[in-house]
Amino acid sequence: MSTWSRNNRLPALATLALTLTAAAIALIFFYAPLDEDGLNQKIFYFHVPIAFTAYGCFAWGGWKALRHLWKGEEGADLESYVAIHLGVIFGVLTLVTGSIWARYRWGHWWVWSEDQLVLFLVLFLFYCAYFMLRFSVPPGPQRANLSAVYALFGVVLIPVSVLAIRLSERFIHPVAFDKGGPNMAGSQFFTFCVSCAAMFSLAATLYNLELVGKRLDMRLRELREALQ
Amino acid sequence: MSTEEKYVAAVYLIVFVVLLAYVLIIALKLQRLERELAELVELAQHKAVAVG
């Protein structure tokens, strides 16, 4: 990696995230037309990209866990932890934004008979338990290995959660994509793509920001030990 | 403001507040690291004086 990209990656990502988020909000409220769901449909442009970002963070955490176990890549354990941490934050946002949408549309905050909702909750709780496991073991190789194995198990739940809506015969949760492509107008799909790009770039910025803080913390601890 | 508008506003407000809280936590952490770094610099200077 070049020195320029190493030194400027975080400001560049933050600028991209800010630009894309501003563009997404402008498109959502001034460009994308309303459908039969009314104004409530505007929630979809944030809720679905946030859910995709949560899945992406968990998958990235699983990939880094695999790199740790397979190649013994330095720093992969920390990267896996940060990705899962962000995934849980985006998971909370998915559940809260989805519940608000459902309250208006269905009249309920939560529907237990809906497979996709319950499976996302299972995935979310699985990764919440990751932190209990991680912080119950003292820092060191054992903690890194146990956390990595646990993170990899969770990856199996991601496609199950994504495909739940297809596997279920009866559902009330709206389907944004089917075999024929996106279930929306071209302008709505464009807005949705920009919102997805905004959420992914925002997650990438927060991921790098948290990593910088964690690495700095580790190096300062090493320096303190060396000086004392 | 209609009920529908309130729900949409609530969603965007919650996303904004959660992200702001996250940035605030990171900022507090960086502030702590800055304090620790200042302590370490002081410690290193004392050691250098003691050796020199």
Side-chain angles (χ1 to χ4, degrees):
Chain A
M1 192 187 294
S2 72
T3 312
W4 188 93
S5 84
R6 199 171 44 240
N7 292 340
N8 296 290
R9 187 168 47 179
L10 195 51
L13 270 172
T15 310
L16 181 71
L18 194 68
T19 312
L20 284 171
T21 306
I25 291 173
L27 287 170
I28 290 165
F29 289 101
F30 302 110
Y31 174 68
L34 291 175
D35 64 4
E36 70 274 4
D37 199 17
L39 192 64
N40 204 36
Q41 192 250 355
K42 301 286 181 196
I43 295 172
F44 153 86
Y45 293 111
F46 258 35
H47 169 68
V48 180
I50 285 171
F52 283 177
T53 309
Y55 287 134
C57 287
F58 291 141
W60 186 251
W63 167 246
K64 285 293 171 183
L66 183 69
R67 298 285 298 175
H68 168 77
L69 291 172
W70 186 23
K71 303 262 182 188
E73 194 179 285
E74 203 188 339
D77 171 57
L78 183 68
E79 288 172 351
S80 172
Y81 161 73
V82 170
I84 291 169
H85 182 224
L86 264 179
V88 167
I89 293 169
F90 277 91
V92 170
L93 285 175
T94 306
L95 292 169
V96 172
T97 56
S99 289
I100 294 172
W101 180 87
R103 180 75 182 92
Y104 186 79
R105 194 76 175 89
W106 301 335
H108 303 285
W109 293 105
W110 188 263
V111 179
W112 284 106
S113 58
E114 189 60 17
D115 294 350
Q116 197 178 30
L117 268 63
V118 175
L119 276 167
F120 188 86
L121 183 66
V122 169
L123 179 74
F124 171 75
L125 292 176
F126 182 91
Y127 278 109
C128 284
Y130 168 90
F131 299 101
M132 288 183 233
L133 172 78
R134 190 175 174 89
F135 294 111
S136 64
V137 181
Q142 194 195 9
R143 176 158 101 171
N145 291 341
L146 276 172
S147 303
V149 171
Y150 191 89
L152 273 177
F153 274 123
V155 171
V156 180
L157 289 170
I158 299 171
V160 176
S161 178
V162 173
L163 294 172
I165 198 159
R166 310 281 185 272
L167 301 172
S168 175
E169 298 242 326
R170 41 147 194 82
F171 52 80
I172 49 174
H173 190 286
V175 187
F177 297 92
D178 59 19
K179 284 174 189 165
N183 271 336
M184 58 190 104
S187 56
Q188 290 176 322
F189 183 59
F190 175 70
T191 306
F192 173 73
C193 289
V194 174
S195 297
C196 279
M199 279 304 146
F200 289 143
S201 58
L202 186 66
T205 308
L206 298 180
Y207 172 76
N208 280 285
L209 183 67
E210 195 171 333
L211 268 181
V212 166
K214 295 257 183 249
R215 285 183 183 138
L216 195 60
D217 196 13
M218 264 170 51
R219 281 176 193 154
L220 280 179
R221 215 173 303 138
E222 284 167 11
L223 185 62
R224 186 180 287 276
E225 279 166 17
L227 281 170
Q228 282 169 346
Chain B
M1 197 186 241
S2 69
T3 314
E4 203 175 18
E5 284 168 343
K6 280 179 190 163
Y7 281 115
V8 174
V11 163
Y12 283 83
L13 195 70
I14 285 167
V15 172
F16 177 71
V17 168
V18 168
L19 293 176
L20 203 66
Y22 182 87
V23 171
L24 182 74
I25 291 164
I26 297 281
L28 288 173
K29 186 180 177 163
L30 288 176
Q31 218 171 22
R32 177 179 63 80
L33 292 178
E34 198 180 11
R35 271 200 310 270
E36 277 184 29
L37 184 64
E39 276 173 32
L40 289 175
V41 167
E42 209 174 314
L43 189 67
Q45 280 167 346
H46 281 304
K47 285 216 167 191
V49 169
V51 171

